[in-house]
């Protein structure tokens, strides 16, 4: 399974490893489907199915899903 920074922008994914988030970030469920918008240093900018922006760490282990 790839790390988040290894997948292409626009990919849909679910978190499979430990979930590291920056302070004051919205909490997300590991089962949530996320879309990668970009990587910005240590963290990413992703969006949930509800349109909420979240920032999982770039080294998060993920599974890309096809939709």
């Amino acid at each position: 399974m790839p790390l988040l920074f290894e997948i292409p922008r626009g990919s849909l994914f679910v978190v499979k490893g430990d979930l590291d988030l920056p302070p004051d970030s919205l909490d997300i469920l590991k089962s949530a489907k996320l879309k990668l918008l970009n990587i910005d240093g240590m963290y990413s900018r992703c969006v949930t199915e509800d349109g909420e922006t979240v920032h999982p760490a770039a080294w998060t282990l993920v599974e890309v899903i096809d939709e």
Side-chain angles (χ1 to χ4, degrees):
M1 278 184 241
L3 299 175
L4 184 54
F5 70 86
E6 297 174 326
I7 67 173
R9 285 183 181 176
S11 296
L12 292 174
F13 68 93
V14 292
V15 173
K16 289 298 184 177
D18 293 334
L19 184 58
D20 290 320
L21 299 168
D24 298 330
S25 178
L26 292 175
D27 286 332
I28 54 176
L29 297 174
K30 285 181 74 170
S31 61
K33 292 179 186 176
L34 303 174
K35 181 177 183 178
L36 175 62
L37 300 179
N38 69 299
I39 301 290
D40 184 19
M42 289 177 45
Y43 294 99
S44 64
R45 187 167 60 103
C46 300
V47 67
T48 67
E49 291 179 295
D50 296 330
E52 297 288 336
T53 300
V54 293
H55 304 282
W59 59 86
T60 302
L61 188 64
V62 299
E63 180 180 350
V64 177
I65 54 177
D66 294 324
E67 293 246 341

